[in-house]
Amino acid sequence: MSYFQNSIDFIREKFASNEFIPLHAPVFSGNEKKYVLDTLDSTFVSSVGAYVDQAEQVMAQISQTQKAVAVVNGTSGLQIALQLAGVQRGDEVITQALTFVATANAIHYTGAEPIFIDVDLDTMGLSPKAVEEFLQEFGEKRENGTYNKKTGKRIAACVPMHTFGFPVHLEALLRVCEEWNIPIVEDAAESLGSYYKGKHTGSFGKLGVFSFNGNKIVTCGGGGMIVTQDEELGQLGKHLTTTAKVPHPYEYVHDQVGYNFRMPNLNAALICAQLEQLEMFLANKRALAIEYATFFEGQGMKFRKELEHTKANYWLMCIELENSKERNAFLKLSNENKVMTRPIWQLMYRLSMYQHCYRDAQKNAEYLEERIVNIPSSVRG
């Protein structure tokens, strides 16, 4: 298939390399070393320090929220966000099966169980229409929330994930969840720098959670951030993630079961330097996305682009192939040629620990699973 080889050659040209091309490599071109060395000199390398406070303030500004809480990683942040939203052991949480496993795992950590609802083809994220259809069939409104008529369990939250940085249809999803009194917790792990109708992802739900993992647009090796418009709820999140320790000059008093999910100041120094470059990173990636879109259109292949009224961060760029056979052939050829590509995640209900969970028909999710391939998306020098 000559157009596969043409694609590989084009990617090499865009990254000006004959060596191995990774999917998404970190770029440290700013104040990273300076801030990390400053942290070492201060000796405040653990969970207390000026850079932790600065990172939280900057992320609240970027995400257009009232409070941000720095955590050790996005998964832990999502777990706490679900707890803050009121999810309890024995509850159910609506989410999508087309996601990274951390989404389902975070739900499981709270003692709740995921309900897997289909995605939309255009966003690759949770479908408001599919959520509404599920609730109309199985939902039952009670004084203390919405319950699943089939299982008798409370449906305590809804977790959309903005796949590869493409925002879900947020207005429609908010409308459905408000009607059924179900709080939204946005898994915005992949969508730092993405907007829906001018508002940043993560700012629409009761809470939102971002990731700073090593393959994200900005990184501190790990790390994550919980954001919310409810400052009081955010303060509780800070308390819970810092072992629920009551402030005191020297006594160790903890007023509830908390978690040691604090972001160390050392990591916070790194993310502060990375966030200073966020706009540059986003512009660089957008320029690559434009070049990809033009090229793949000429090859008769579908390059995934942002929708009207949205602004995607183009975290991981992707193409849609004709079928699973072509997908597999492209994956094999590109990786053999040291151009890293990968398929979309295996759907959550195919994993042994989530096979028992409810799922709807998943027509769109399975369609995308067979066709989507991520291509190199790093910021270029």
Side-chain angles (χ1 to χ4, degrees), residues 28 72 100 127 179 222 226 236 260 267 275 338 346:
F28 303 112
V72 68
F100 181 58
S127 169
E179 180 186 345
I226 304 168
L236 178 57
N260 188 10
N267 297 80
L275 288 170
K338 298 183 180 179
Q346 192 172 67

Side-chain angles (χ1 to χ4, degrees), residues 138-376:
F138 296 105
E140 179 181 81
K141 295 178 184 178
R142 300 182 188 175
E143 287 187 5
N144 62 334
T146 294
Y147 282 74
N148 186 331
K149 289 187 291 189
K150 186 175 182 180
T151 65
K153 295 181 178 182
R154 185 172 68 114
I155 303 173
C158 176
V159 182
M161 198 277 285
H162 303 297
T163 305
F164 305 139
F166 294 101
V168 305
H169 292 296
L170 280 160
E171 277 188 351
L173 187 62
L174 283 164
R175 187 166 56 249
V176 172
C177 289
E178 285 172 3
E179 180 186 345
W180 289 89
N181 193 26
I182 298 172
I184 289 178
V185 176
E186 290 178 72
D187 185 344
E190 303 177 356
S191 65
L192 180 61
S194 295
Y195 294 81
Y196 179 87
K197 294 191 175 181
K199 287 183 63 178
H200 203 292
T201 55
S203 68
F204 289 82
K206 194 178 184 73
L207 303 109
V209 182
F210 296 92
S211 170
F212 304 138
N213 189 38
N215 64 351
K216 297 299 191 294
I217 288 181
V218 296
T219 183
C220 53
M225 196 75 65
I226 304 168
V227 298
T228 180
Q229 302 291 11
D230 186 331
E231 192 160 351
E232 185 176 339
L233 200 63
Q235 292 291 355
L236 178 57
K238 184 71 171 178
H239 184 60
L240 286 175
T241 57
T242 52
T243 68
K245 184 179 183 296
V246 178
H248 192 279
Y250 51 85
E251 293 284 2
Y252 288 91
V253 179
H254 304 261
D255 60 1
Q256 57 185 299
V257 176
Y259 303 85
N260 188 10
F261 287 169
R262 303 169 287 188
M263 177 188 286
N265 198 40
L266 200 61
N267 297 80
L270 193 56
I271 204 60
C272 284
Q274 287 271 285
L275 288 170
E276 289 175 350
Q277 304 165 83
L278 177 60
E279 290 305 315
M280 181 270 285
F281 289 167
L282 291 169
N284 186 299
K285 290 169 68 63
R286 179 166 289 272
L288 176 61
I290 292 170
E291 293 181 65
Y292 271 154
T294 301
F295 170 79
F296 283 109
E297 184 177 1
Q299 298 294 309
M301 299 167 72
K302 185 175 181 180
F303 176 78
R304 283 282 177 159
K305 295 185 286 188
E306 64 195 5
L307 301 181
E308 189 178 1
H309 305 306
T310 74
K311 186 176 183 181
N313 63 3
Y314 287 107
W315 168 54
L316 282 188
M317 302 175 210
C318 54
I319 55 176
E320 181 181 319
L321 298 169
E322 286 295 322
N323 49 50
S324 59
K325 182 179 179 181
E326 285 214 352
R327 182 204 72 163
N328 293 340
F330 183 79
L331 286 167
K332 184 174 186 294
L333 184 63
S334 55
N335 282 283
E336 285 176 350
N337 280 267
K338 298 183 180 179
V339 172
M340 187 177 180
T341 60
R342 77 174 189 196
I344 211 164
W345 314 278
Q346 192 172 67
L347 299 178
M348 290 301 99
Y349 56 81
R350 301 196 195 283
L351 306 181
S352 59
M353 59 278 200
Y354 298 121
Q355 286 179 351
H356 68 285
C357 297
Y358 174 88
R359 67 178 187 271
D360 60 9
Q362 297 289 310
K363 180 181 177 181
N364 292 340
E366 292 182 358
Y367 177 94
L368 293 167
E369 183 189 31
E370 292 180 351
R371 292 165 173 81
I372 295 293
V373 172
N374 291 126
I375 56 179

